[in-house]
Amino acid sequence: MSTFRAIVFASVISGFVVGLLVTVVQQFGTVPLILKAEVFEKAAEAHQHEAPTPQPAAAGHDHAAHDHGDHDHGAGDHDHGGAWEPRDGFERNAFTAAANVLTAIGFALLLAGFFAVRSGATGAGVSWHEGLLWGLAGFAVFTLAPGLGLPPELPGVPSAPLLSRQIWWLAAVLATAGGLALIVFRPSVPAAISGVILLTLPHLIGAPELANVETNVPSSLSHQFVTAATVTSLVFWTLLGGLTSAAFAHFDRGTAQRA
């Protein structure tokens, strides 16, 4: 069996298993917190909708403003009603599971590609505990480092503009990956110093954030969500690293023969 087929098979199998397991973990961790936050979010939206609108002083302009407001309200209601979203319960959980499986398969392909390069360079297979270390590295790169500047947020909590957050998140991921690579794969003092600089640079620059954050979502709920999301991600990456490495070693028969 070719290395390419080993990468694909290992990624699909491990990604499917890990995606389903993480979906179960989410049902006891992040999902209940998200549902609680949505209650506060909907209450805030209802309060804003019921708040009285100041009326203009001029009577002639008052009617036009009222008509324009009704028109906007109708359009808004139409757009909201037309925007499809899965219903709570089985449908929502099914889409969550599908998203988790696809995400896990994508990251498993990345890990399996690294495993193929490593096994090809060393001529030896990748053990499950080495895969576990790679999974922990993925957790550090994609969750821990970006989360220090942009922690997971609940619905109803305002945040900085999406584009600026995406740019900083990508910079933090690339800098963390590069810093860890320099420290691990280039064992020298200059490389270690450069790696530490890369690790800290995004946080020295600072993540984009709002000056004032007004929300009725309790801060305690947000803290619980950050903890639950981080633990869930740790479970995701450790399982993905271990299972992907074990599956890749199983399917990559050519590596075992070369060893």
Side-chain angles (χ1 to χ4, degrees):
M1 184 178 292
S2 67
T3 301
F4 176 76
R5 292 178 64 189
I7 292 174
V8 174
F9 284 5
S11 301
V12 171
I13 293 175
S14 59
F16 184 79
V17 173
V18 172
L20 293 182
L21 289 176
V22 168
T23 301
V24 174
V25 173
Q26 288 175 337
Q27 301 307 309
F28 299 96
T30 57
V31 170
L33 299 176
I34 292 174
L35 294 178
K36 290 180 181 179
E38 287 178 347
V39 174
F40 290 99
E41 182 185 28
K42 292 176 182 178
E45 291 176 353
H47 178 73
Q48 292 177 358
H49 179 73
E50 295 173 358
T53 303
Q55 298 295 327
H61 184 68
D62 181 57
H63 179 70
H66 180 70
D67 290 343
H68 180 71
D70 287 345
H71 176 72
D72 286 346
H73 175 68
D77 283 349
H78 176 72
D79 290 340
H80 179 73
W84 179 88
E85 60 182 23
R87 290 172 294 183
D88 291 340
F90 174 79
E91 188 173 303
R92 184 171 184 175
N93 293 334
F95 276 89
T96 299
N100 288 337
V101 168
L102 291 177
T103 301
I105 291 175
F107 281 123
L109 285 170
L110 186 63
L111 288 173
F114 286 132
F115 297 156
V117 172
R118 291 286 290 169
S119 62
T122 62
V126 180
S127 61
W128 69 267
H129 50 82
E130 185 177 353
L132 184 63
L133 293 177
W134 278 88
L136 292 176
F139 170 73
V141 169
F142 291 101
T143 300
L144 190 59
L148 294 176
L150 294 174
E153 293 177 344
L154 284 167
V157 178
S159 57
L162 178 61
L163 180 59
S164 60
R165 287 186 287 126
Q166 289 177 329
I167 293 174
W168 187 91
W169 185 91
L170 181 60
V173 167
L174 294 177
T176 304
L180 290 177
L182 286 173
I183 294 173
V184 175
F185 299 118
R186 294 289 185 270
S188 65
V189 175
I193 295 175
S194 300
V196 172
I197 292 174
L198 275 178
L199 291 174
T200 57
L201 185 59
H203 307 285
L204 293 177
I205 296 174
E209 58 183 14
L210 297 176
N212 296 313
V213 177
E214 296 182 0
T215 177
N216 62 342
V217 177
S219 59
S220 60
L221 194 64
S222 295
H223 295 158
Q224 293 176 30
F225 181 71
V226 171
T227 301
T230 303
V231 172
T232 302
S233 180
L234 179 61
V235 172
F236 172 88
W237 280 106
T238 51
L239 288 176
L240 192 66
L243 288 178
T244 303
S245 60
F248 178 79
H250 173 74
F251 288 111
D252 191 24
R253 302 298 186 184
T255 297
Q257 294 175 358
R258 290 193 301 270

